[in-house]
């Protein structure tokens, strides 16, 4: 792209997929199945939804990495921190414009 002035927009767009649909890349285990397994290992015999939510809130070493997790419903969506501080599946398309000639150059970069 030639031009002296280039404008770039890198806004984060929320994906149409829920964070609950993520699965482990290495073994295909869902997030809920992982929580159930960890809860049983910690001594909760039959964890229900409330027990799992409480257990997940108390865990200290929580980390959702795009290297470890992927969306089962939308492979292009990535785990991202939104501007309001929440974590969602999202896209980060980048849009560059040659401001002198007003030509769009789009690039989807997840």
């Amino acid at each position: 792209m030639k031009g002296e002035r280039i404008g770039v927009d890198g806004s984060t767009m929320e994906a149409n997929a829920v964070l609950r649909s993520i699965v482990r890349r290495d073994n295909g285990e869902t997030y809920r199945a992982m929580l159930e397994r960890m809860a049983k290992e910690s001594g909760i015999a039959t964890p229900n939804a409330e027990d799992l939510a409480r257990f997940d809130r108390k865990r200290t070493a929580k980390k959702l990495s795009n290297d470890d997790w992927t969306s089962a419903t939308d492979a292009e969506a990535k785990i991202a921190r939104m501007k309001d501080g929440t974590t969602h599946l999202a896209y980060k398309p980048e849009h560059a414009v040659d401001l002198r000639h007003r030509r769009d150059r789009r690039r989807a970069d997840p």
Side-chain angles (χ1 to χ4, degrees):
M1 173 186 301
K2 66 182 183 179
E4 296 171 9
R5 294 179 8 178
I6 296 174
V8 178
D9 177 23
S11 300
T12 305
M13 297 171 38
E14 192 170 343
N16 192 17
V18 293
L19 201 55
R20 287 179 290 204
S21 69
I22 60 174
V23 294
R24 300 252 338 147
R25 287 184 188 270
D26 55 357
N27 61 8
E29 183 180 36
T30 65
Y31 189 75
R32 182 176 174 101
M34 181 206 62
L35 278 179
E36 288 175 353
R37 178 180 49 79
M38 292 174 71
K40 286 179 183 176
E41 290 172 358
S42 72
I44 303 172
T46 55
N48 59 20
E50 279 182 24
D51 294 334
L52 290 176
R54 193 176 314 109
F55 177 76
D56 195 27
R57 275 194 304 273
K58 290 181 181 178
R59 286 188 319 126
T60 56
K62 288 191 276 189
K63 184 179 175 201
L64 293 177
S65 168
N66 286 312
D67 295 334
D68 299 333
W69 297 91
T70 186
S71 171
T73 57
D74 188 355
E76 293 181 9
K78 302 294 180 198
I79 300 167
R81 177 82 59 183
M82 305 304 278
K83 289 183 179 180
D84 63 357
T86 59
T87 303
H88 294 283
L89 289 173
Y91 306 109
K92 182 128 178 152
E94 292 179 352
H95 184 86
V97 177
D98 182 347
L99 296 175
R100 183 169 179 203
H101 297 99
R102 301 280 191 230
R103 283 189 238 154
D104 291 353
R105 301 286 186 220
R106 293 174 191 228
R107 187 180 112 213
D109 189 6

